[in-house]
Amino acid sequence: LKFILILIIFSKKSIAGNIIELYDSTYSARIERDEWGVPHIYGKRDSDVSFGLAYAHSQDDFQSIRDIILASRGILASVYGKEAAVNDYYVHLMDFWNNVNENYDEKIPIDVQNLCDGYASGINLFLKDNPSLKIKEFPILDGRDLIAGFSHRMPLMFGLDGIIKKISKEKSNSIGFIQNKIKSEIEPYKMVASNVFAVSPKRSSDGYTRLWINSHQPWEGPVSWYEAHLISEQGWDFYAGLFPGSPVPLVGHNKNLGWSHTVNSPDLVDIYKLTINPENSNQYWFEGFWKDMKVREASIKVKLFGLFSWTFKRDVKESIHGPVMEFDHGAYALRISSLKNLNFIEQWYRMGKAKNIKEFRRAMEIHAIPMFNTGYADRDGNIYYVYNAKIPIRDPRYDWSEFLPSESKNSLWYRYIPFNDLPQVLNPLDGFFQNCNSSPYLATGNRVDIPKVLPDWTGIEDHQTNRALRSLETFGIQTFITRNDFFDYKYDVEYSKESVMAYVRDKYIEDMKDNDQSILEEALLLIKNWNLKADSLNTAAALALIVLPNAFKIDDLKYDKNEITKNLYETINFLKLKFGRIDVPYGKVIRLVRGEKNLPLSGGPDLLRAIYFKKKEDVYQGIAGDCYFQAVEWGPKGEISAWSVHQYGSATSNKISKHFNDQSLLFSKHQMKQIRSLNDDQKIS
């Protein structure tokens, strides 16, 4: 009897081709996959659903989950070698695990612990059922791994790695505000961009409330989106977008409300240049005497080749300001917003469980998540936007854009700008808001709605991206927005005449007006007459968008006439060699390549239809931008409909699955699949 019970408790059994039942000693879940392979995960408790989510996501992309766990454990180099050692040093330097182990029981509520334990158990069961995927370095997981994983990723999401790289090379005094820049190759944890739009009943033509959940992320890797439908008897009924290693929705909607995030760039990191004791490198000058640093020894195991590895040891140091990094040109301490906070998962979990604006605001007031604009809409017709950020309260006597003096306690900060003091608006008078990685003060197009009251040292953006300009030129000027308008405007492929791209086109043509190289005449004329659109049939867009530099704001533009001209020659040669001409329809040049699918794309950098591309194997391929996104609407009686699409499919790394790329054609054609409808008995009573 005992043997039979063990078999029942520790089993996974298939009921049908697209349904599985999961059990272990604590959790149980049912995974049903729909025609698109999207997992609909059912459980009695939320923690059971999280258990099933981990298993389903592991089926579709276990390697990303595995690598995230290895990275947050600080053992990535033991699998990937010396190139990954910088990650493991980072884990030790930030002291993530001591913080988690010392505060987990006290700071993490029991229901969140259960949620995290459920997710960890789902991964453990997946590896038990798939032993060939188990590597000896991979640990048995518990809920602490999930908390540590978010602690590890969050500073990287707001650009800490870039700051560290800059300090290591810094020769001047200036640091400046950290701004997100689109690069030709997306870094592993880089948060790219995003759009969010909401329309209230007073602005829609039919009395509906509508929300675009439209993140722009890398199409592969640790911050690429995964879609799942979470259903529990404790109240979850959530269509979620989430990253590998997340037990909770990060964006999406339930029957009552939905939200999305866009990347913002508040100033969340300060750098202090330490005065080190010439007689003792572990001491720094503070408040009139030499103060000892906290010093710990970090052991980092590095794979060499085959079965051979090498463990090296390094001291990691900490001052009263924060973690310390030492270079030939000096020692620097980093003070980082929310570094010790462990409640990221809790906040997202409470947001997803909210049923109305009051509960959602209460969840946001946990104020653990240190960045991300948040746009919200609900079945009651409310729309809400907040520039969410965990911004330190700083002494205005210092220049916070530079390295800070470290000798006085006056330059330290301990408190944050309260959530309710952040730029935000509930139910703006015109019934519409947008954010496209742009100024919060122009979210509605009217600065009166969100006045600027916070100081410049907060780093809050005051610029407009092209996407923000175009959203105000489309959504913003339409008196009554129909459903068709709502969809058409999101897929807009035009640059504003006020955009950086328009400026660059005109400046380059002006700078080249005396050009006497006949080989460039046709290309320059094509660029000059380009109508600033990037639809798939446009015959000037490919040349223009490959050649001309772009940026979210003019201050970040890297304009070099000679570099552009060099790029123009190369692109002319490429287009003529591959297509026999330079006026090639855009969709023939910019492609979505996934398995056997090779499809045309429209859109481009900083367009509402955002596509970022890179040349790979003699083809310009999409690598980031529009990816997994949702459209949600609630009718006057609370009736709900929703649509979604993924740039690839639910099997995000399973190449043999039909769901590896089965949504790519929809994505290419600006189409979406319906995920909620009135015909599915989804009406809210």
Side-chain angles (χ1 to χ4, degrees):
L1 180 61
K2 182 177 179 181
F3 176 72
I4 293 172
L5 286 173
I6 290 173
L7 283 179
I8 293 173
I9 291 172
F10 296 96
S11 68
K12 172 186 73 72
K13 60 180 181 180
S14 176
I15 297 176
N18 64 339
I19 302 176
I20 60 173
E21 299 277 352
L22 304 174
Y23 305 91
D24 72 2
S25 59
T26 307
Y27 304 100
S28 63
R30 184 173 82 256
I31 302 172
E32 298 183 10
R33 291 188 182 267
D34 62 23
E35 62 179 309
W36 298 99
V38 174
H40 300 249
I41 304 159
Y42 298 84
K44 184 174 182 180
R45 303 163 298 176
D46 293 347
S47 55
D48 293 316
V49 175
S50 181
F51 168 71
L53 170 63
Y55 198 99
H57 203 162
S58 294
Q59 289 179 309
D60 291 324
D61 192 6
F62 175 69
Q63 181 168 336
S64 291
I65 292 175
R66 184 196 73 175
D67 289 351
I68 285 167
I69 298 296
L70 294 173
S72 60
R73 282 265 181 152
I75 54 175
L76 201 61
S78 67
V79 175
Y80 289 106
K82 64 180 182 179
E83 295 301 320
V86 65
N87 167 84
D88 300 348
Y89 179 78
Y90 161 74
V91 171
H92 288 286
L93 178 68
M94 299 299 155
D95 205 22
F96 294 129
W97 276 95
N98 280 334
N99 184 41
V100 170
N101 289 330
E102 291 172 4
N103 296 295
Y104 184 81
D105 292 332
E106 179 183 350
K107 298 290 180 65
I108 307 301
I110 292 298
D111 60 341
V112 179
Q113 290 186 35
N114 292 339
L115 202 72
C116 294
D117 284 338
Y119 192 94
S121 296
I123 297 173
N124 293 336
L125 178 61
F126 176 79
L127 284 175
K128 180 177 181 295
D129 292 338
N130 298 273
S132 64
L133 297 177
K134 182 81 165 69
I135 58 175
K136 66 178 182 177
E137 292 85 0
F138 196 82
I140 300 296
L141 305 183
D142 63 26
R144 294 168 191 258
D145 283 284
L146 280 300
I147 300 297
F150 272 79
S151 296
H152 169 272
R153 280 190 279 186
M154 192 59 66
L156 301 177
M157 287 180 178
F158 57 74
L160 180 62
D161 54 335
I163 297 172
I164 292 173
K165 289 176 185 176
K166 186 168 183 177
I167 299 170
S168 68
K169 301 174 182 178
E170 192 64 52
K171 294 181 180 178
S172 67
N173 218 25
S174 178
I175 285 292
F177 302 135
I178 304 306
Q179 301 289 348
N180 290 282
K181 298 180 177 67
I182 297 299
K183 297 184 178 180
S184 61
E185 189 165 0
I186 305 299
E187 296 171 2
Y189 291 94
K190 191 72 172 177
M191 304 302 291
V192 180
S194 296
N195 304 327
V196 63
F197 315 102
V199 176
S200 76
K202 69 166 63 176
R203 190 65 176 275
S204 63
S205 64
D206 50 10
Y208 272 63
T209 305
R210 293 190 170 93
L211 175 69
W212 270 115
I213 299 167
N214 183 204
S215 174
H216 303 156
Q217 282 299 104
W219 287 1
E220 298 180 31
V223 288
S224 58
W225 288 113
Y226 183 72
E227 179 179 20
H229 185 196
L230 313 177
I231 311 101
S232 80
E233 294 178 22
Q234 290 184 323
W236 253 353
D237 184 353
F238 202 101
Y239 268 96
L242 49 88
F243 296 153
S246 174
V248 293
L250 304 181
V251 297
H253 74 278
N254 59 34
K255 288 185 178 181
N256 298 289
L257 57 84
W259 80 85
S260 191
H261 294 308
T262 75
V263 176
N264 56 3
S265 304
D267 189 0
L268 303 180
V269 181
D270 289 315
I271 311 298
Y272 298 79
K273 186 162 187 179
L274 302 179
T275 301
I276 300 299
N277 186 348
E279 305 297 326
N280 184 345
S281 62
N282 293 331
Q283 290 184 332
Y284 61 101
W285 189 256
F286 184 76
E287 288 293 314
F289 63 94
W290 295 114
K291 186 175 179 64
D292 291 331
M293 295 186 196
K294 294 180 181 178
V295 182
R296 306 183 309 278
E297 185 177 74
S299 296
I300 299 173
K301 183 178 179 180
V302 179
K303 180 179 179 178
L304 298 178
F305 54 88
L307 299 176
F308 294 95
S309 61
W310 171 55
T311 299
F312 70 91
K313 300 182 185 297
R314 290 287 186 274
D315 285 344
V316 289
K317 301 179 180 181
E318 183 178 343
S319 73
I320 194 172
H321 314 82
V324 172
M325 304 196 71
E326 296 175 301
F327 303 99
D328 292 342
H329 49 78
Y332 303 84
L334 294 79
R335 197 160 187 82
I336 304 166
S337 174
S338 282
L339 182 63
K340 300 295 185 181
N341 202 310
L342 300 179
N343 299 105
F344 307 130
I345 292 176
E346 180 192 1
Q347 181 173 336
W348 268 305
Y349 179 46
R350 307 287 186 229
M351 290 161 63
K353 294 287 285 186
K355 298 182 179 65
N356 52 52
I357 183 63
K358 183 178 179 180
E359 292 180 4
F360 186 82
R361 284 281 299 265
R362 187 182 306 133
M364 291 293 295
E365 288 169 1
I366 293 172
H367 207 191
I369 303 169
M371 60 181 292
F372 302 128
N373 293 287
T374 303
Y376 163 101
D378 67 28
R379 60 168 293 194
D380 297 320
N382 296 301
I383 63 173
Y384 171 62
Y385 162 76
V386 58
Y387 186 93
N388 176 69
K390 196 74 177 286
I391 304 174
I393 296 176
R394 299 175 168 105
D395 188 331
R397 293 175 295 178
Y398 293 92
D399 184 347
W400 296 93
S401 66
E402 297 184 349
F403 293 138
L404 294 156
S406 61
E407 293 84 3
S408 170
K409 63 183 179 182
N410 293 331
S411 64
L412 293 174
W413 46 259
Y414 297 94
R415 297 181 299 120
Y416 297 90
I417 293 172
F419 177 81
N420 289 329
D421 291 345
L422 296 170
Q424 55 192 287
V425 62
L426 173 64
N427 295 327
L429 289 176
D430 286 339
F432 166 73
F433 72 74
Q434 58 76 35
N435 185 271
C436 304
N437 316 113
S438 47
S439 171
Y441 307 118
L442 285 170
T444 67
N446 188 343
R447 286 188 181 268
V448 173
D449 289 332
I450 308 177
K452 181 177 179 179
V453 296
L454 295 178
D456 289 342
W457 51 252
T458 58
I460 294 175
E461 299 88 334
D462 200 22
H463 67 274
Q464 293 289 77
T465 61
N466 175 72
R467 287 167 291 119
L469 292 168
R470 284 299 294 160
S471 66
L472 294 174
E473 293 168 359
T474 52
F475 291 100
I477 64 172
Q478 185 76 15
T479 304
F480 291 107
I481 299 171
T482 67
R483 179 192 281 178
N484 287 340
D485 294 333
F486 188 71
F487 279 83
D488 289 345
Y489 293 155
K490 183 267 156 296
Y491 284 106
D492 179 75
V493 294
E494 184 173 350
Y495 288 98
S496 169
K497 292 180 175 57
E498 305 300 320
S499 67
V500 173
M501 180 58 78
Y503 165 81
V504 168
R505 179 199 61 178
D506 296 344
K507 178 174 175 55
Y508 184 62
I509 294 301
E510 176 65 21
D511 288 349
M512 295 292 286
K513 66 182 180 181
D514 296 327
N515 164 66
D516 58 0
Q517 302 174 67
S518 59
I519 191 174
L520 298 182
E521 285 182 6
E522 181 187 2
L524 291 172
L525 184 62
L526 199 63
I527 293 173
K528 178 181 179 180
N529 293 331
W530 175 43
N531 64 1
L532 296 175
K533 294 182 180 180
D535 54 281
S536 61
L537 300 179
N538 193 297
T539 56
L543 181 69
L545 288 178
I546 291 171
V547 169
L548 297 176
N550 196 10
F552 284 179
K553 64 175 183 174
I554 197 71
D555 292 347
D556 288 337
L557 178 65
K558 298 187 182 303
Y559 180 90
D560 184 324
K561 173 188 164 184
N562 294 332
E563 189 65 28
I564 297 172
T565 303
K566 176 184 175 184
N567 195 10
L568 182 58
Y569 274 112
E570 292 173 353
T571 305
I572 290 170
N573 291 335
F574 165 77
L575 292 174
K576 285 188 173 180
L577 182 64
K578 189 171 181 67
F579 301 101
R581 49 194 274 205
I582 64 171
D583 57 340
V584 187
Y586 185 73
K588 286 190 174 183
V589 181
I590 310 301
R591 310 290 291 181
L592 188 161
V593 180
R594 180 71 164 176
E596 77 285 358
K597 284 189 166 59
N598 190 324
L599 302 167
L601 288 169
S602 61
D606 200 20
L607 288 171
L608 291 180
R609 173 51 159 178
I611 299 292
Y612 301 94
F613 51 82
K614 180 186 178 185
K615 192 175 181 182
K616 293 183 177 181
E617 300 174 359
D618 207 32
V619 177
Y620 282 93
Q621 299 183 27
I623 61 168
D626 268 1
C627 42
Y628 173 69
F629 55 93
Q630 299 178 6
V632 191
E633 65 178 23
W634 291 269
K637 297 181 180 179
E639 57 269 39
I640 182 173
S641 297
W643 299 261
S644 74
V645 71
H646 192 283
Q647 79 280 0
Y648 294 147
S650 62
T652 49
S653 69
N654 183 358
K655 295 182 179 180
I656 64 173
S657 170
K658 68 178 181 179
H659 304 302
F660 181 64
N661 58 11
D662 60 340
Q663 295 185 52
S664 294
L665 183 60
L666 290 178
F667 185 85
S668 169
K669 296 172 70 174
H670 295 190
Q671 296 175 352
M672 303 178 76
K673 62 187 191 294
Q674 189 152 15
I675 55 178
R676 290 194 200 268
S677 72
L678 299 181
N679 296 329
D680 296 332
D681 194 27
Q682 296 287 358
K683 184 173 180 179
I684 302 172
S685 59

